[in-house]
Amino acid sequence: PAWSDGGGGGGALLSVDASPDGLQLASCGEGGLLSLHAAEGGKRLDGAATEESCLFSAEWCSPNEVLTAGACVSLWDKRDLRRPTSRLLPSFGTPMSCSPQLQAASRHPQQPHRVAAGASSGALYGWDLRLGGGRASDLGAHGGDVWCVAYAQLALGDLLSCSSDGTLVARAEEGTASQVLVALEQPINSFHVSPLHGGLAAASDAEVLTFIDLRAT
């Protein structure tokens, strides 16, 4: 490799994401450490040792902000990683140790006040940052662990999520019915939506890569 470095904080690295300009990488993992590296050369730029034993995902949601998911969802500003700018829990006032593990999170690119996360319990949660990140909204549930969530501009709904129950679904908003886009007999671990071509690719335990042209749905 061109470069290699630790950065999980004493455990396996579970997530890595490139900044919008491609110049920095955010990574996290079992050690509960959020790390920022230069994509070119791998120099460690900064990091945040969180109170959490594990961070499952890290996602750049703006040129300066990174969203992480673990016992809670945290929004970090790379210019000051001493503490998160927002911390979101499924139940307001519930200790992080009593909350379900949040394994994926995403912020809406066009409506940055909207944040969603999926939990090990199968639940989907949503927050409105304009309200200070208080009590979470119930956005529905899967029948197993939620492994990936993302916002996309679709007629069927702008929140996508996949789960170990073998489904990838689209939801419009709180209280609306979900639309199943993919249903398999094995867990769906991840997916990606191409903003340019309108395609959706999903990967599963069945060693199957499923592709959907969302323009035709």
Side-chain angles (χ1 to χ4, degrees), residues 34-36 46-49 76-84:
L34 170 65
S35 294
L36 301 184
D46 205 348
W76 303 86
D77 189 318
K78 73 173 188 180
R79 295 164 294 191
D80 184 357
L81 292 179
R82 288 176 295 177
R83 61 184 61 85

Side-chain angles (χ1 to χ4, degrees), residues 35-111:
S35 294
L36 301 184
H37 287 80
E40 182 69 30
K43 178 183 178 182
R44 189 174 187 274
L45 303 173
D46 205 348
T50 71
E51 302 174 8
E52 303 172 60
S53 61
C54 183
L55 292 176
F56 291 93
S57 70
E59 175 191 280
W60 289 89
C61 50
S62 80
N64 291 316
E65 295 172 300
V66 178
L67 196 69
T68 60
C72 65
V73 172
S74 297
L75 183 64
W76 303 86
D77 189 318
K78 73 173 188 180
R79 295 164 294 191
D80 184 357
L81 292 179
R82 288 176 295 177
R83 61 184 61 85
T85 57
S86 295
R87 179 173 288 170
L88 310 172
L89 288 164
S91 299
F92 185 71
T94 300
M96 288 194 295
S97 59
C98 299
S99 298
Q101 290 296 310
L102 301 173
Q103 299 176 152
S106 185
R107 191 170 78 168
H108 199 294
Q110 283 78 42
Q111 302 175 46

Side-chain angles (χ1 to χ4, degrees), residues 13 22 59 69 72-73 77 88 121 126 129 135 137 142 145-146 154 158 166 174 187 211 213:
L13 287 172
E59 175 191 280
C72 65
V73 172
D77 189 318
L88 310 172
S121 62
L129 296 179
R135 186 175 183 274
S137 299
H142 281 272
D145 296 72
V146 179
L154 304 176
D158 61 1
E174 181 182 359
F211 183 83
D213 186 346

